[in-house]
Each structure stands twice: as structure tokens, then as C-alpha cells.
Amino acid sequence: MASLDKPRHVKYWQRCFTSYLPSAYTANDSTRLTFAFFIVSALDLLSVPFSPKDRSSIRAWVLSLQHPDGGFCGSPTHVFSGQDATKGSANLAATFFALLLLAAAAGTDEEARAAFSGVHRRRLLGWVKRLQRRDGSFGQVSWEGEAVGGRDTRHSYLASAIRWMLRGDGDEDDIDTERMTYDGGAAELSKHESHAGYAYCAIAALYMLDRPSSSSAAHDSAAVGEGVPDRKALIRFLVHRQFSYLAKEEEDESDGDAENYIQARLGHLSLADQCAHVGYNGRWNKKADTCYCWWVAGTLAMVDSFHAVNIVPSRQYLLDVTQHRIGGFSKHAGGPPDLYHSYLGLAALALMGDADLKAFDVGLCCSKDTARKVELAREGLLKRATHTFDGDGFWESVNVAR
């Protein structure tokens, strides 16, 4: 039985951290902060420590991307046409990953309590509130005072998670949710095709909405219960994203866009006893894809149905089929590893309890250790405390309230 090749994964992510990424990533420069989160959080999951210098560098770079009007920009070059190049464009995804990076970069609890120092909390929360439309949806960015960027469950999730990371007792609850679709899943919009990734975002938006301030507290989400009109249909949709992966048939296909080899036993909970590998797709009649193991398993965990994941053959699909020989995970069998699928491959394995990885927080998509540091950072920010500690001298007597 295959296992996680931890040394190779560590080398893969350390290369990503210490050297330039391949030129193919250049087109995604506006999401540089997202890539930084994948790299730092993956090394955190693998229990690779950062030096004081590295931690300070991460923190300084992230804070340099904070927008003066609230939120964080995706990279130093993330500017829309006609905008002041010194201001950039803040967006929800970058802001979500920026806050998690600040927490992940903290090496000790004392550092974690000061992790959000320099974050303009009230300004940021006010910016998030301005991104919400009257129908409850969120735009991704603000353009000339208007929320733009589509009506998308991903934005609702990001806003809900940002609010949890920064909120105080007096902060208002502004988030609304999307409607469910005909087959029990969730989509970008109520009339679009159901999709496992959007299902995660919709459920996670609800899950984070009433999550206790301490992640160690029990969380039986009333928001999820009230916001999902047909829980059984949702679970059925997610369970049927699993199917018996027939490696030989896919290897024989020359067309990379060929259909999946979905068997009649699709989605049955007894599937683990019937095949060696279970792949996951995001929608009906699509190829198996590493990332959907996370999107499906994570969503099922938030609706108290993690038992519906076929853990043993799911792990074997990731470890035998998409785990790459140089480290990381590929999207499909035979492809090269990339940051996105490599991180979500680790996330899925961590959620399934892999012994080589830290325990995983399903709501924030990071280690539970990082989630705990987020709580300490929030506590430090809300208490308007001043912290001084030894180290490399980067943080010295900083006022952590803004």
C-alpha cells in the first residue's frame, strides 16, 4: 500500500519557497499571494519550520500588499487599468489568504498574538461590508464605489471566513446565502449546474457564519441546518462524486479530454469494498481530479457526513495515481504537479488523518495549528495589546490594534 512520500513533498514545496516558480505561473501573477499561502501552508502541514528571517520576510511582504482603503491586493502588480499604481486593487481572495499567511508565519504563541498587528481591522471589515449587495451576494473587488466580480458562492465563503478571523462581539452579521439547485448540490448561481467546489463554498460560508470564536468549541452549525433545504439531497450529490477509478482504461486513452469511466456502482457507500482506487469529480461525467477529493470530503465533514467518504481507496487514488515522483500532486494521472492540486491533495490526506501531516481545519482549509494562531491573532488585535518579544527584531513593541 502506497504512503505519502513526505521527503519528496518537502523538497517540492521548499523549491517553491526558495526559488522562482516556472514561467507558466507568470500569467497568474495577480494571485501571487494565493500561491504564497499554498507554499507556506503546505510546509506548515508537513511540519517544516521557518527561520525567524523567513517569518519576518513573509509578514513584511504580506503587509506591503494591504490596500489603504481596506483589504489586501493579490500581488504588487495587481492593478486594474486606470487605477493609481501605488494603490492596487484589493480583493476578497487575497485578503483571506493574507490573514492566514500572517498567522501561519508566526512561530510562537507570542508572535501569533501580534500576527495581525498592522492590519487595519475596522477599515478592512468596512470594505468587506461595502462589497455586499442588496441581494446578499458579494462582489470580489470594489470599482468606483460599486461591488463588482459576479454573484458567486466563493465570494460569500471568503467574506464569511474573513469576518470570523477578525470579528469582535459587536460586529454585525451581514452574509446571505445562495439557493440550492435541483439535484441537491450547489452552484455558482441558482440556475447553474451543481458543482462540488461551489458546494464547499456555499456550505463553508454558512459553517463559518456561526462558528464559535474558538475552534476547539463544539460547532453544530445552525446556519448550515437552516440554509440547506434538503440535506439528504446534498449528501447524495456529494457521495456520487466518488467513482471507481479504472487506471488501465485511462492510460489507454490518447485523448486527454476523454470521459471518465464511471461504473454502475457510482457513489455507493460500499464502494470501498469493491475497488482499489476511488476518484472524485466536480460534476457529472467529468474526469477524476485531485482537488475534488478535498472539496467533496471537506463539505461532507461540515454536514456531519464524513463517514460517507471512502477513505482507503480515496487515499490510494491520491497516493498511487496523482502523487508525483518529484513531490506534489498532479490534476490528473500522468500530469505535472502544480501548486493548487498539490496543496489540496495534502489537504484531503490531512482531513483523512494522514500521520505525516498536521490535523486539518475544514472551515479555513489550513492546519488546525494555523487556525489556533488566527484566534490568538484576533485576540491580540481586539485587546489592543502591546507585545514585545525576542527573535529577529522585526516585531518590536507594536500596537496590534488599528
Side-chain angles (χ1 to χ4, degrees):
M1 181 176 293
S3 61
L4 184 71
D5 192 342
K6 184 174 179 178
R8 288 187 183 274
H9 286 277
V10 169
K11 288 181 180 179
Y12 171 80
W13 288 108
Q14 286 180 326
R15 283 196 302 272
C16 294
F17 183 76
T18 59
S19 61
Y20 290 112
L21 296 177
S23 58
Y25 288 95
T26 303
N28 302 108
D29 185 70
S30 63
T31 58
R32 199 189 306 177
L33 203 152
T34 302
F35 293 147
F37 166 77
F38 289 154
I39 295 168
V40 172
S41 190
L43 289 169
D44 170 58
L45 277 176
L46 292 160
S47 299
V48 178
F50 292 94
S51 70
K53 182 178 179 180
D54 286 338
R55 298 199 304 272
S56 294
S57 296
I58 293 167
R59 174 181 166 77
W61 180 72
V62 171
L63 288 176
S64 75
L65 298 176
Q66 186 168 206
H67 195 284
D69 295 333
F72 287 78
C73 305
S75 82
T77 62
H78 195 192
V79 180
F80 289 154
S81 177
Q83 285 190 312
D84 183 349
T86 65
K87 295 182 67 175
S89 300
N91 67 79
L92 280 173
T95 303
F96 170 78
F97 291 123
L99 295 174
L100 288 178
L101 265 174
L102 289 172
T108 66
D109 285 359
E110 189 173 7
E111 289 183 10
R113 290 189 180 91
F116 287 169
S117 64
V119 174
H120 308 313
R121 189 182 81 89
R122 294 189 183 91
R123 203 177 302 172
L124 194 159
L125 290 174
W127 169 77
V128 172
K129 186 174 182 179
R130 291 193 298 275
L131 288 178
Q132 188 170 31
R133 304 183 181 92
R134 290 184 179 181
D135 64 1
S137 67
F138 285 83
Q140 187 179 16
V141 299
S142 178
W143 178 258
E144 297 182 349
E146 297 293 328
V148 297
R151 286 166 170 78
D152 192 317
T153 53
R154 290 174 295 185
H155 302 159
S156 296
Y157 162 62
L158 294 169
S160 181
I162 291 166
R163 175 186 172 276
W164 183 84
M165 286 190 274
L166 291 178
R167 70 179 179 178
D169 292 337
D171 293 329
E172 295 183 359
D173 180 2
D174 297 320
I175 295 177
D176 200 355
T177 61
E178 299 286 348
R179 296 180 180 181
M180 304 294 286
T181 52
Y182 71 95
D183 58 359
E188 178 184 9
L189 297 170
S190 60
K191 295 181 180 180
H192 288 192
E193 182 181 9
S194 291
H195 187 285
Y198 286 113
Y200 173 89
C201 292
I203 299 306
L206 295 166
Y207 180 85
M208 296 301 297
L209 192 62
D210 61 358
R211 177 172 172 166
S213 59
S214 173
S215 60
S216 61
H219 182 29
D220 183 12
S221 177
V224 170
E226 295 171 4
V228 180
D230 192 339
R231 183 173 176 272
K232 289 184 178 179
L234 171 66
I235 294 171
R236 186 183 310 115
F237 169 79
L238 293 168
V239 168
H240 280 74
R241 304 280 57 77
Q242 303 171 93
F243 60 90
S244 177
Y245 176 79
L246 307 180
K248 182 63 169 63
E249 283 81 347
E250 181 152 325
E251 289 173 1
D252 291 342
E253 273 290 346
S254 59
D255 183 359
D257 295 325
E259 293 183 359
N260 274 314
Y261 303 95
I262 302 176
Q263 295 184 325
R265 291 189 293 270
L266 176 70
H268 285 195
L269 297 182
S270 60
L271 189 59
D273 299 325
Q274 302 166 352
C275 62
H277 302 94
V278 165
Y280 291 71
N281 61 19
R283 297 175 288 156
W284 294 104
N285 297 317
K286 295 294 182 179
K287 291 176 69 67
D289 185 327
T290 292
C291 70
Y292 290 112
C293 187
W294 157 253
W295 298 124
V296 172
T299 310
L300 285 169
M302 288 186 288
V303 292
D304 298 322
S305 297
F306 189 64
H307 61 274
V309 177
N310 294 291
I311 291 179
V312 174
S314 297
R315 290 185 75 255
Q316 292 312 113
Y317 170 77
L318 294 171
L319 297 172
D320 289 339
V321 179
T322 65
Q323 179 175 221
H324 202 277
R325 68 184 67 181
I326 68 168
F329 292 86
S330 60
K331 175 182 175 72
H332 299 310
D338 65 81
L339 297 181
Y340 174 76
H341 292 92
S342 294
Y343 182 73
L344 293 184
L346 290 181
L349 291 171
L351 191 62
M352 294 176 189
D354 193 288
D356 286 320
L357 300 170
K358 288 184 178 181
F360 207 71
D361 187 286
V362 68
L364 292 177
C365 197
C366 63
S367 72
K368 288 187 176 181
D369 187 36
T370 293
R372 183 184 62 83
K373 291 176 182 178
V374 168
E375 295 169 19
L376 293 173
R378 184 209 307 130
E379 176 186 315
L381 197 61
L382 293 174
K383 285 185 176 180
R384 306 181 65 85
T386 298
H387 299 279
T388 304
F389 50 86
D390 296 329
D392 62 355
F394 185 82
W395 292 311
E396 294 179 351
S397 300
V398 291
N399 189 327
V400 299
R402 293 293 179 98

